[in-house]
Every structure is written in C-alpha cells, then in structure tokens.
C-alpha cells in the first residue's frame, strides 16, 4: 500500500515532458544569411551613363562595324529623290522649328549673317585720351616713385623717428590722408613740402622749412624710415587703406604742445606722443 502511494507521488511530481525530445531549428545556410542582408527590394543595378562606359575591345569593334555599315549605305537605292520645292523646304523649316531650332538653317545663317566681332578695347581715341591725361614713360614713373618714397622717409624720420613702429605709421598715415583728401596737394612730396618756399616756419611740417640740414644722422633710424616709407607708398599707390589712424585724420601735434587750432577740430586718436585730429 505504501509502495503504491509512493509510485503515484513520483509520477505526479515528475515533469510532464521529461522524456520528450526538444526540436531545435536547423542552422541558417550562409547563402540565406547573405541574402537577408541585402535591401528589401533587392540589389539595384544602375547602368552607366552615356559616355561613361569603359572602352573595351568589344565596344570599339561594335563602333567600327556600325560606322562601316552607315558609310556603305547607297542612298540612290531608295529610288529617285523628289525635287526640292519651296513647299518642301518650308515644310522642312516648320518641322525643324517645332523642335527648338534647325541645325541646317543655323549653319546657313552663320555664313550669311556672321556674328559681329567685338570691337577692340584699345582705340586711337582711347590712346589719345590716355596720353593727354598724364601719360608718363616708365623711366619717368620710376623716378617719380623713388622721389615720393624719399620724401615720405624724410617725414617719418624727422617727425617720428623716436616713436614706435605704430607711431611712425600713424604720422605717415596723415600724410597719405592729406594727399587723398583733395584739400592738399595730391602727391606725398607736395603734401610734405607744401609752402616750404614761403619762408621759415611757414610750411606744414617744421623740418621742411626750419633752415636746418635734413640729412639723416642716425643710420639705423633712417633705414627703418626708408623701409616703412616703401611699404606705405605701395599702399598709397594702389589705393589701399593704411589703417593706423582714421582716414579723416589730417592734423596732429605732439603731447608737449597745445596749439590753438586743436580746439576747432575733432580729436580722433592718440598714438605714442602724437594726438591726431579730423576737421
């Protein structure tokens, strides 16, 4: 009786599928795995655009064969050609115009009505005007440029050789501003030596009319002044801005003095020992 109860308990507590085989899915073949990685619509093959096909022997042979076939056609085999009448020509023109143009007519027009040629930009009138408005030979222009640089170097040396590079540039900037303003002579030498022939201390820059020898005595300072004058003149000649002080600055004085005219102008900058004004 006890043995029967134990047998019933063992059967009740045992797993219902203890003796059933588990069926696992078969491994996925590699071909199927690769196929599943492709896009949903499958691979897309885009044909090469015309003219981008690789030049192969087969393509070249096909082209040669096609050309030979076209050139071997005898148009006379199609029978006698109809006479070219005005009606036929007008119909041909009408059909061609519907497509946006007619190559035959365009070719004819190119001979009967050639495109106008552009007129030369250099004419005798333009040359005459150029000569009359200040033409100078190369040698003369080189001489003028050297003179302008020399004048500017003298002004930088005598007016600001004790200043920093920025201070010297600011003084040169005022000279350029004056030459461009229309209120002073249009050249750098003209600005620097304006009224120098009117007597002592009647000029715009003291060194130009103080009666002293202007020969530079400090070699290193003079070399720096010449180098800066070369750079500034290049900017002046090409119309570029100097940028050390505003383009409106036309006057300056040292911080050691206070001239009466300083009250009538607007103070626009102060660099080192110079104060700059605009009218």
């Amino acid at each position: 009786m006890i043995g029967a109860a134990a047998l019933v308990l063992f059967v009740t507590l045992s797993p219902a599928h203890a003796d059933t085989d588990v069926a696992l899915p078969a491994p996925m073949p590699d071909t199927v795995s690769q196929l599943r990685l492709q896009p949903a619509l499958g691979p897309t093959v885009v044909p090469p655009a015309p003219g981008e096909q690789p030049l192969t022997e087969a393509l070249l042979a096909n082209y040669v064969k096609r050309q030979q076939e076209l050139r071997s056609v005898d148009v006379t085999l199609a029978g006698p050609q109809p006479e070219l009448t005005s009606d036929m020509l007008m119909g041909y023109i009408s059909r061609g115009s519907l497509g946006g143009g007619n190559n035959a007519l365009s070719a004819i027009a190119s001979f009967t009505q050639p495109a106008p040629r552009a007129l030369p930009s250099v004419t005798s009138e333009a040359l005459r005007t150029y000569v009359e408005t200040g033409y100078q030979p190369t040698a003369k222009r080189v001489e003028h440029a050297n003179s302008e640089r020399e004048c500017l170097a003298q002004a930088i040396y005598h007016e600001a050789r004790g200043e920093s590079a920025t201070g010297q540039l600011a003084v040169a900037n005022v000279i350029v501003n004056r030459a461009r303003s229309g209120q002073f002579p249009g050249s750098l030498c003209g600005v620097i030596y304006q009224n120098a022939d009117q007597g002592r201390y009647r000029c715009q820059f003291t060194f130009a009319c103080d009666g002293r020898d202007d020969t530079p005595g400090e070699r290193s300072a003079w070399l720096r002044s010449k180098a800066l004058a070369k750079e500034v003149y290049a900017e002046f000649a090409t119309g570029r801005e100097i940028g050390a002080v505003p383009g409106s600055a036309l006057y300056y004085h040292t911080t050691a003095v206070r001239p009466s005219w300083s009250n009538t102008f607007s103070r626009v900058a102060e660099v080192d020992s110079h104060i700059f004004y605009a009218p």
Side-chain angles (χ1 to χ4, degrees), residues 6 10 14 16 39 68 76 102 128 155 191 202 220 227 229 232 254 273 277:
F10 173 76
S14 297
Q68 291 174 344
T76 61
N102 188 300
R128 183 168 58 255
V191 167
R202 293 183 177 274
S220 60
V232 173
T254 66
S273 62
Y277 297 83

Side-chain angles (χ1 to χ4, degrees), residues 198-222:
Q198 300 298 316
R200 181 172 295 187
Y201 303 122
R202 293 183 177 274
C203 56
Q204 299 290 316
F205 298 89
T206 303
F207 82 93
C209 60
D210 60 3
R212 299 179 183 178
D213 183 9
D214 294 337
T215 303
E218 300 178 25
R219 177 176 174 79
S220 60
W222 173 239

Side-chain angles (χ1 to χ4, degrees), residues 68-80:
Q68 291 174 344
E69 292 176 350
L70 291 174
R71 296 179 183 183
S72 64
V73 174
D74 188 356
V75 295
T76 61
L77 297 178

Side-chain angles (χ1 to χ4, degrees), residues 148-149 152 156 168-170 172-177 179-180 188 227-245:
E148 291 280 84
R149 285 191 287 265
L152 185 57
I156 294 172
Q168 293 179 4
L169 184 61
N173 201 157
V174 168
I175 297 172
V176 170
N177 289 349
R180 290 174 173 172
L188 302 183
L228 180 60
K230 182 179 180 180
E231 295 178 5
V232 173
Y233 177 73
E235 295 175 339
F236 167 67
T238 55
R240 287 178 288 173
E241 293 296 329
I242 310 302
V245 294

